[in-house]
Amino acid sequence: MEEKKKSGGWCGWFIVLIVVASLGLGIFFTVTRIRRKSDSGAAPVPGPPGAVTKKYADALKIAMQFFDVQKSGRLVNNPISWRGDSALNDGSGARLDLSKGMYDAGDHMKFNFPMAFTATVLSWTILEYGDQMKVVDQLEPAQASLKWITDYLVNSHPTDNVLYIQVGNPEIDHGCWNKPENMTEARPLLQVNASAPGTEVAAETAAALASASLVFKTVDSTYSSLLLRHARQLFSFADGYRGSYSVSIPEVQTYYNSTGYGDELLWAASWLYHATGDKSYFDYVTGANGDAFADFGSPTWFSWDNKLAGTQVLLSRVSFFGPNDVSNSNSLLKYRQSAEAVMCGLLPKSPTATSSRTDNGLIWVSQWNALQHPVASAFLATIYSDYMLSSRTARISCNGKSYTPSDLRKFAISQVDYVLGKNPMKMSYLVGYGDKYPQFVHHRGASIPADVNPGCRDGFRWLDSDSPNPNIAMGALVGGPFLNESFVDSRNNSMQTEPSTYNSAVIVGLLSSLVTTSSVVRSFS
């Protein structure tokens, strides 16, 4: 009997093992089938930077030069032959050194709101595509240009709740046509503070410094820590003393009027979350503030004034690559769904495609500085496409129709190729690129010969001159075409021929994303 029991027990366990093994294999093959189904059609994850696309590499090297054209202060190793030291006394009235930073456009103003946006976008570009920039020797120049701005922004923040947000008076400045090296006019300062708050400009500056702290984390840890400390303080100031700078300082409405500060608060908190890992910033964007300001499901245009689309894409990165305890957040999913709504609006054949485009497919939103929106949109599209590729996300759905990462990339390429010459004018809107580009750029320094030094008023004869600019504003991205795709190359046509530093940020970002291919990092830190 005992022997029989042993034999029967052994047979039972053998059967159990067979059943368990069968179940295990069944589960394995089921999971494998599900995984294959979820990855069905997903392109391979890109490896290290691949082959360089020469036309985008050439364009990137040119676009990067406009940052040097726009630099204020004492220039070191200056590569622009017709530029020299300027605005060395900026900030002296407040015992601050505000000599650095960059001039906004064709004038000599320093507007911190768009300048900080320039720094944030440049930081984002380096963080996502620094390996690609390095392949074509543009990473170090980008870091240097970024630091030129962040040095200035740090100095603009002398105490916790005080931020200087403008150098120069626009009416005085625009009453002159001279070179920055010859400026003698007054350079007054504007500030926001606890009594006269400026939430959007303080928050955008916090975003700039937080994102830049990640750029410099492995390059200069001390400087990175300095940037992050100022970023935290500025966010506390922005959030603790809520109020629009357009209300506190009405005179800014003529130039860089803000349409609201909620987007900047979410943008800044998102960057601080990436920079610190502090979950309180994540809770900030996914809690009541997200409900109040995120405008979920409503696509917007990414620009110096509206950061919502950028915030949605940036937080999608957390959804794609973040730890499980945050990536599965329902609120985070809303940001990703909103980002996908933005992408669906950009894709020309999508059921929800925006009608805001020219006959030849250029995104077109505004006659003033028309190229900002298509280039910024294309930049977001390539970032989102690369998030999909690196996470092996095969497709997004736009009202039931599916699109792949390559569809987003094709859209982005259509926009940049238009800018570089594939347009009805058959000209490049990036100055210095190609055989035909604007010759009458609305830019004071470029319009005046290097060997003359006009005063404030007598320089206007170069504004009205029929001769092309004697100096090339290399890398300037001008305003761009009208809706009918015409372009009038005239210095007095500032609507179309004036470049801006923030235009340079988005075109550098877009070109950096297209110069070659590689997977994006899973974490910035």
Side-chain angles (χ1 to χ4, degrees):
M1 287 291 292
E2 289 294 318
E3 187 64 26
K4 205 171 189 180
K5 283 185 179 180
K6 287 183 182 178
S7 175
W10 180 85
C11 289
W13 279 112
F14 181 72
I15 292 169
V16 169
L17 286 172
I18 291 174
V19 171
V20 170
S22 299
L23 287 171
L25 286 170
I27 292 169
F28 171 77
F29 286 119
T30 300
V31 170
T32 301
R33 281 197 301 271
I34 292 171
R35 187 171 293 157
R36 284 176 179 168
K37 185 176 180 181
S38 67
D39 286 348
S40 177
V45 178
V52 169
T53 303
K54 186 177 184 302
K55 67 176 178 179
Y56 300 140
D58 291 345
L60 176 59
K61 291 173 184 176
I62 289 167
M64 278 295 305
Q65 294 180 55
F66 193 62
F67 293 127
D68 289 319
V69 169
Q70 295 300 94
K71 283 179 180 176
S72 166
R74 192 174 304 281
L75 306 185
V76 181
N77 299 323
N78 173 28
I80 308 299
S81 62
W82 48 273
R83 280 300 326 279
D85 297 345
S86 63
L88 297 181
N89 293 320
D90 276 4
S92 59
R95 297 183 179 179
L96 299 173
D97 179 6
L98 301 182
S99 61
K100 283 188 175 181
M102 293 186 185
Y103 299 119
D104 177 62
D107 54 16
H108 302 148
M109 290 297 300
K110 295 177 188 174
F111 294 113
N112 287 32
F113 192 26
M115 195 197 308
F117 173 73
T118 297
T120 312
V121 171
L122 188 53
S123 292
W124 198 5
T125 298
I126 294 169
L127 292 168
E128 300 285 9
Y129 300 113
D131 58 343
Q132 301 186 180
M133 301 176 88
K134 188 174 183 178
V135 168
V136 291
D137 300 321
Q138 295 307 299
L139 177 57
E140 288 188 6
Q143 291 170 329
S145 291
L146 174 62
K147 190 173 185 296
W148 201 266
I149 298 176
T150 54
D151 283 352
Y152 165 84
L153 293 177
V154 166
N155 287 354
S156 298
H157 181 226
T159 60
D160 287 8
N161 297 332
V162 172
L163 177 66
Y164 286 87
I165 54 96
Q166 183 174 299
V167 180
N169 178 294
E171 291 191 10
I172 295 173
D173 184 86
H174 291 182
C176 297
W177 192 271
N178 54 358
K179 297 190 293 187
E181 294 81 4
N182 301 137
M183 281 191 295
T184 57
E185 57 269 22
R187 303 278 288 170
L189 308 177
L190 288 181
Q191 66 166 251
V192 292
N193 51 50
S195 301
T199 294
E200 56 277 275
V201 64
E204 183 58 59
T205 308
L209 298 180
S211 56
S213 75
L214 287 165
V215 170
F216 294 108
K217 194 169 185 177
T218 58
V219 179
D220 185 339
S221 60
T222 301
Y223 186 64
S224 173
S225 297
L226 173 71
L227 297 179
L228 189 55
R229 176 167 60 82
H230 279 276
R232 285 181 179 273
Q233 292 171 350
L234 281 162
F235 182 76
S236 295
F237 169 45
D239 191 42
Y241 296 89
R242 291 189 181 183
S244 174
Y245 94 132
S246 293
V247 175
S248 297
I249 311 173
E251 54 262 45
V252 305
Q253 295 175 17
T254 305
Y255 296 95
Y256 288 101
N257 182 49
S258 170
T259 56
Y261 56 70
D263 55 312
E264 278 84 20
L265 286 172
L266 298 179
W267 176 240
S270 300
W271 276 113
L272 278 160
Y273 174 66
H274 280 285
T276 65
D278 185 337
K279 198 167 179 292
S280 67
Y281 294 115
F282 180 82
D283 294 339
Y284 187 96
V285 299
T286 55
N289 291 290
D291 293 336
F293 301 130
D295 201 14
F296 293 119
S298 300
T300 53
W301 300 107
F302 186 46
S303 71
W304 59 263
D305 179 45
N306 194 330
K307 317 307 181 337
L308 279 183
T311 301
Q312 289 153 8
V313 171
L314 181 63
L315 289 175
S316 294
R317 162 178 267 284
V318 182
S319 176
F320 280 115
F321 307 118
N324 290 336
D325 62 327
V326 295
S327 64
N328 293 324
S329 159
N330 288 331
S331 295
L332 191 62
L333 180 60
K334 291 180 184 178
Y335 282 102
R336 182 165 163 179
Q337 289 171 335
S338 297
E340 292 194 359
V342 172
M343 299 302 122
C344 290
L346 299 177
L347 291 163
K349 295 182 180 179
S350 162
T352 56
T354 179
S355 60
S356 298
R357 45 185 112 220
T358 68
D359 288 345
N360 284 276
L362 180 75
I363 292 290
W364 198 94
V365 179
S366 169
Q367 63 181 356
W368 280 96
N369 193 15
L371 287 178
Q372 179 191 189
H373 293 105
V375 174
S377 297
F379 174 55
L380 293 186
T382 55
I383 290 176
Y384 203 85
S385 170
D386 288 338
Y387 290 171
M388 291 176 68
L389 281 172
S390 294
S391 64
R392 301 225 65 200
T393 302
R395 59 188 60 83
I396 59 172
S397 177
C398 303
N399 277 21
K401 192 171 181 181
S402 294
Y403 295 92
T404 65
S406 65
D407 292 320
L408 289 170
R409 195 172 182 89
K410 285 175 187 174
F411 160 74
I413 287 172
S414 74
Q415 303 301 290
V416 76
D417 283 355
Y418 188 107
V419 170
L420 297 181
K422 194 175 180 179
N423 55 63
M425 298 297 295
K426 293 181 169 52
M427 71 180 297
S428 166
Y429 292 110
L430 181 66
V431 175
Y433 181 84
D435 298 326
K436 182 183 178 184
Y437 50 81
Q439 301 295 308
F440 294 82
V441 179
H442 183 91
H443 189 279
R444 295 182 205 173
S447 72
I448 301 172
D451 58 350
V452 298
N453 298 292
C456 170
R457 301 293 304 173
D458 53 342
F460 276 102
R461 66 189 181 98
W462 279 283
L463 170 64
D464 300 324
S465 169
D466 292 331
S467 299
N469 287 352
N471 309 309
I472 298 176
M474 192 66 73
L477 180 63
V478 297
F482 288 132
L483 181 57
N484 66 5
E485 302 185 272
S486 65
F487 179 81
V488 179
D489 192 8
S490 166
R491 266 188 298 272
N492 275 298
N493 179 20
S494 58
M495 185 182 295
Q496 289 190 293
T497 65
E498 187 168 21
S500 64
T501 314
Y502 49 91
N503 272 12
S504 291
V506 290
I507 191 66
V508 163
L510 177 56
L511 290 166
S512 296
S513 72
L514 296 174
V515 72
T516 181
T517 56
S518 68
S519 57
V520 295
V521 295
R522 300 187 71 85
S523 171
F524 292 146
S525 57

